[in-house]
Amino acid sequence: MTTPSDTSHHHANAHQDHHDGDGHGEITFRGYMTGFILSVILTVLAFWLVMGNVFEKSGVTALVILVLGAIQMCVHVVYFLHMNTRAEGGWSMLAMIFTVIIVVIALAGSLWVMYHLNTNMMPNMIHDMKDML
């Protein structure tokens, strides 16, 4: 049987115990603001690269935009979805890594197929694509 003083002590520590053992890490205003600021910086940087015509070749600009997009996805996953290696015993991070691998395989395969279709079906157009990169 618990006394009222034991109950109040239990309720006072319940909030702290819940956040220490759940593996989600600390959710703070500072964390959200850090994620927001990083997202804004990455978005503005991508916009500046395109609008300022920073690189001569559009292929280089596209590659840099893709890298910035991948970095921004990581920022969202860490700062807004709070996924880390401790969340749910590491299974959520493992599922995300598996998903990323499948998406990369699908995208790389699609680009490979489209490139070879373009090369084999429209041989005169290959010179135009090489000039673009």
Side-chain angles (χ1 to χ4, degrees):
M1 202 180 233
T2 61
T3 63
S5 63
D6 291 341
T7 306
S8 64
H9 176 71
H10 176 70
H11 288 300
N13 289 333
H15 183 65
Q16 180 183 3
D17 292 340
H18 176 69
H19 284 292
D20 289 340
D22 67 356
H24 286 289
E26 194 66 28
I27 299 172
T28 63
F29 179 73
R30 181 178 179 196
Y32 281 119
M33 285 308 294
T34 302
F36 175 72
I37 290 170
L38 286 173
S39 296
V40 168
I41 289 170
L42 290 167
T43 302
V44 169
L45 186 60
F47 185 77
W48 172 72
L49 286 173
V50 172
M51 295 306 290
N53 203 14
V54 176
F55 298 111
E56 264 184 47
K57 297 187 181 263
S58 62
V60 175
T61 303
L63 186 63
V64 173
I65 296 289
L66 287 174
V67 169
L68 289 174
I71 293 170
Q72 189 161 17
M73 286 189 327
C74 293
V75 166
H76 286 228
V77 164
V78 170
Y79 287 101
F80 299 124
L81 297 178
H82 308 290
M83 289 184 72
N84 56 31
T85 55
R86 295 174 306 189
E88 298 179 17
W91 285 108
S92 61
M93 184 61 76
L94 198 60
M96 189 183 80
I97 290 170
F98 178 73
T99 302
V100 167
I101 290 171
I102 296 298
V103 168
V104 165
I105 290 171
L107 289 175
S110 297
L111 291 173
W112 179 65
V113 166
M114 287 188 286
Y115 174 78
H116 284 284
L117 280 174
N118 187 38
T119 302
N120 294 327
M121 300 296 270
M122 304 177 120
N124 295 335
M125 300 294 286
I126 192 68
H127 300 294
D128 295 338
M129 286 192 63
K130 286 183 180 178
D131 292 338
M132 202 169 94
L133 299 175

